[in-house]
Amino acid sequence: MDSDKHLPVRGVDGIPPEPKRRKVRKGTRSCWECRRRKIRCIYPSEDASICINCESRSANCVSQEFADEQAVTPDRRVTQRLGRVEEMLEKLVERIMPDSYSSGRARPTSTSPASADAVDPESVDSSCPFSGGKPPMFDVLAPLRHEGEPVSCPPCPSEGDLQVPTPAPSQHETSALSPKYIQISKTLHDLLPCQQDLDAIITASPAAIFVITFFSRYRDVAAGRTALPSSIRVVPTPSSHPAVIARRLMQLTVCIQQLQHSAAVKLAAAESPHCLMIKYVSVVSDLVAYSDDLVGYAEGLETLTLLSLYHANAGNLRKSWLMLRRAISVAQLMGVDRWGDKPLKSADPTSDPLTLVKAKSLWFRLNFMDRYLSLLLGLPAGTDDNSFLTADPEDDPTDKLEKQHTVAMGAIIKRNSSKGDASFGMTQTIDCDLETAARSVTSDFWRVPAVDSLADVRPIERMRVLTQLMTQMSHHNLLILLHLPYMLRDPKERRWDYSKATGINSSRQLLKTFLVFREANTAPNACRHTEYGALTASMTLLLGYLDPKMQARDQTTASRRDADRMLIQKARDQLQYMADRNGDKLARDAACIIGRLLPLLSPDLMSSGPVTQGEPSEGVGEVPAIRLEIPYFGTININPLAPGQISQHDVQPHAHATPASTIDTPAISAATAKTASQSMPLNSHQYVDFPRSLTSSHFTQPPTTDWNMPSNQQHITSAEGDQAAEASHFMSFPMEHGHDSTEYASLNGLPAGMQFEWSQAQLAHPELAAEADEWTFQGFDTTYFESLFSSGVQGL
């Protein structure tokens, strides 16, 4: 009976009675075995009954002329043996890396009968929200090094108080997770807080909707084509892909980081929210961020971007830049820049395809963040790709404006690295593009709303208004950075008037917007870029008063000067308040710098000149010269002008002393400035040239600012200090050696009364990616003053 069930096979021993043949295409001669293996079926000769492949494998060679009725059911003995092997492997893994981190959450039901007995419910401690009564581990090899050592657990609420629901596995969910990722998923899952703490964080933080919509277009957010903010409350299963759990941890990290100062969050966990945040970042960075196999999904790219966002808000600009460059590299390997509006590949089989991150939106967000950080740090942009700027009918006006800002950032970065007369033409072109971008939105967009109007609004509306304020500040900041190299040019040259007027007016508008934004958003580590923008605007506005024309004593100029003083003082007080309340070092140092530069607003100071140390200091006009020590850059000495240095022509009302227009657009067009620049050639000999052999002994040395120097520059002894003083020079930056290696290029572009001092001690740079505690401004200040001096950009 069994022999009747088998097909007749053309074997070597003999040929059984031939059954009914199937109709096949003429000339086709191949067997079912080769077809299943998808290989070419080759017979040694036309009369051969068995092909070469089947003969080499000792397999049955059945021609496709006959029906394929071969049994497909696997051998039962093989299935049992494989099941025993799986069970033995799981027990071996449990012994090497004991699952001591299984929380009170219900474990997912395994579909494999071989692994059903590998889990012992009795070994799970259900009295602690963390796994196995232990704090989450940072190293997957920790159980090997600490095997047998007792680990204490902080007191945790009972299971009745912390009911942690586990989402039921979807019918589409698969358990085919690679064995090498199982332990990583468990480790990440055990870091997740209990449901009670999770709900408390999401309820108290305004960032829940932000992290969900960060990678989406504003129109998609308004149309509901994104995941709901409540989705962050859902706990991924322990069998989820590590990238899925890591993304959830980073979403919680951003929510904790942006908690308002007034929000008192009480957690059941023994650790504070700040400690949880640091722990999440450490583990995700170690286990997921630098694993090439784990980040090649939409969730992986989101994790890398949120890590970069965390470091940027923490003041670690260099770490943020490095993480973002990794995200861009992974995205390019995945082809995200070529996918258009298609959704990215997801590692979560339960995700909704309609709410997945689109490739074009993510690629734009990566470029926006990268170019902003590169502009602050004076580094090249990651890509020159502007494909995201293509017309999209689904784009909101705010989306289009942000994309135009991203293109402008890349253009400014290129301009800063250019040399020759073409740089000024590039500046005018970028200015025209920004003006066109500003006019692409309605005039209502540029109006700063009152803080009271944000009191009782929906979260989505509040996020829209705050985003609008940040976009306004970004626009004004780009205008400042664009025209910064021309702020201290010769005041007698009319070609620079437009740049000076634009820089000063943009600084005023940015500070006004900053005060409203910071009154509405009091989170100490939220939107850190606004603090950099406020410092940039304050320094630019104050240094603009080095122009003698800004020291005129007519009523209009004096009124504007008093208004600027009040505005800058409010910004300084806001930064000082943030520093006192949150212990924010960045805000404290920024407030200190602004306070040191405030005397520049006094015309009496600018006309009386400096006083030497030891002389009486009474009255505004006798304030000593300003001395700023910039870490890893040098020292800037601002010596007020002597009365004889200011002529009557220099103190007439200036163009940038006039009130700003209602729509906050420059009163002078770029075309007018271009015409003026063509008719007035640049005379480099009119700039101040300092002697190449001057040392610090030639100038008055007033007390230095409170701006903290890095620790690795504070260890110079008296002997070293003498050597540093001998090696100190007033010079341009960057250093450009002439024919004589001991001489340095003269410092062009600085007004009279300002000198730059470089010292050998400034060469002691910190680590490549030092954090904000070690290096407060991360090189942002160096980039600002280098652009202000613009000695490296010839032709500016």
Side-chain angles (χ1 to χ4, degrees), residues 401-447:
L401 184 58
E402 282 191 340
K403 292 180 178 180
Q404 290 170 318
H405 285 171
T406 306
V407 175
M409 291 178 198
I412 296 175
I413 292 173
K414 287 184 178 180
R415 190 283 310 266
N416 291 344
S417 61
S418 66
K419 292 185 178 182
D421 296 335
S423 55
F424 189 65
M426 295 173 64
T427 301
Q428 294 172 323
T429 301
I430 299 170
D431 184 87
C432 291
D433 293 339
L434 286 175
E435 185 176 355
T436 303
R439 297 182 184 277
S440 65
V441 294
T442 62
S443 58
D444 293 339
F445 179 87
W446 300 105
R447 294 177 182 174

Side-chain angles (χ1 to χ4, degrees), residues 155 176 194 208 259 263 328 459 463 537 577 610 649 661 677 709 716 725 737 775:
C194 61
L259 284 172
I328 289 178
M463 189 200 71
Y577 173 72
H649 171 75
S661 59
S677 64
M709 293 290 292
I716 301 178
H737 298 274
W775 191 0

